[in-house]
Amino acid sequence: AAKWTYSGADGEQHWPKHFPYCGGTFQSPIHITSDLLRFDPTLGPVTLHNYNLPPTEQLTLGNNGHSVQISLPSRMHISSLPHRYSAAQLHFHWGSASRPMGSEHTVNHKQFAGEMHVVHFNSEKYPNMSVAVDKSDGLAVLGVLIEIGEFSPAFDQFLKFINGIKYKGQKVQVPGFNVQDLLPRLDEYYRYDGSLTTPPCYPSVLWTLFRNTVTISRSQFVSLATALFSSHAQDSTPVPLNTNFRKPQEVDSRLVLVSFKE
Ligand SMILES: NS(=O)(=O)c1c(F)c(F)c(S(=O)(=O)CCO)c(N[C@H]2CCCc3ccccc32)c1F
Ligand SMILES: [Zn+2]
């Protein structure tokens, strides 16, 4: 597959050349602004199952060259959507130590320090992520806006292993933990139809972006923003992995449903 990056000759302006959907409609992220919001009283709290993973369960923490990801067991799932959506992986987007603004979505044009995405696929209709990834009802992603503030013990459950995956392709096993501890309150969120924010940018994602943020400490943020490289360990020129966020895309005629009243 064609390589892509967040800057330079293979940066996001060039993605559509090899990944046509990246130049299409229903793209993510977006600027979430008040004029787009419509309260929807049918939007109840997000309902999660099996998010509390026992420490005996080993999770794979990996550097895939674009982000740090944790692979998740498919018994973790969301039951409050039109279909059952099973977890596949979670990953992060961030800025850099010098410019700690790296969220993909913005709210009233405020960009946050980072953003976490928990990627799920419609396990009622499709056998796995690969089949679901390009279907209009294939994916559901939970988005969490991250701010710098209080230390997060939950994030440290995997951040403390990050120096074991400095280079692209490196993986380590980490003990299971309660993934729900990485999330804010589940009853207030934005909901809209969008896409993957990386190539191939399929418009296959039902987005749920939580209204409330979570915090990590500045030193936790700095270790996330400075520990990783998008290059392989043996590459002569190490390429730092940071600023891995796509800029907001055209909203067109889309509305953003909200589960809460201002
Ligand atoms: N922001 S985003 O759109 O949620 C988003 C990312 F930003 C992101 F970097 C990734 S990646 O880490 O896999 C790196 C390159 O795709 C994903 N992976 C998804 C979609 C691609 C296929 C696949 C297969 C198995 C598990 C997850 C995924 C991603 F969905
Ligand atoms: Zn993402």
Side-chain angles (χ1 to χ4, degrees), residues 145-210:
L145 297 166
I146 299 169
E147 294 188 282
I148 292 172
E150 278 290 295
F151 172 84
S152 165
F155 272 74
D156 240 44
Q157 304 263 28
F158 62 87
L159 268 182
K160 62 192 176 191
F161 298 103
I162 201 161
N163 286 318
I165 55 159
K166 292 186 79 63
Y167 298 96
K168 180 174 182 178
Q170 292 186 331
K171 297 175 191 252
V172 295
Q173 298 299 309
V174 306
F177 61 97
N178 189 351
V179 176
Q180 188 165 338
D181 290 344
L182 301 175
L183 306 181
R185 55 188 285 186
L186 304 176
D187 60 334
E188 296 189 339
Y189 54 86
Y190 305 96
R191 167 73 46 78
Y192 78 97
D193 294 316
S195 74
L196 297 177
T197 69
T198 60
C201 305
Y202 295 130
S204 60
V205 180
L206 183 61
W207 276 96
T208 299
L209 181 74
F210 292 110

Side-chain angles (χ1 to χ4, degrees), residues 91 93 104 117 197 207:
H91 62 270
H93 302 268
E104 297 208 302
H117 293 150
T197 69
W207 276 96

Side-chain angles (χ1 to χ4, degrees), residues 4 6 28 64-69 88-93 104 117-119 129-130 133 139 141 195-200 202 205 207 244:
W4 56 272
Y6 284 97
S28 295
N64 59 34
H66 304 291
S67 183
V68 50
Q69 72 170 58
Q89 59 110 281
L90 66 84
H91 62 270
F92 297 86
H93 302 268
E104 297 208 302
H117 293 150
V118 191
V119 182
M129 263 300 292
S130 306
V133 74
L139 305 183
V141 179
S195 74
L196 297 177
T197 69
T198 60
Y202 295 130
V205 180
W207 276 96
N244 59 342

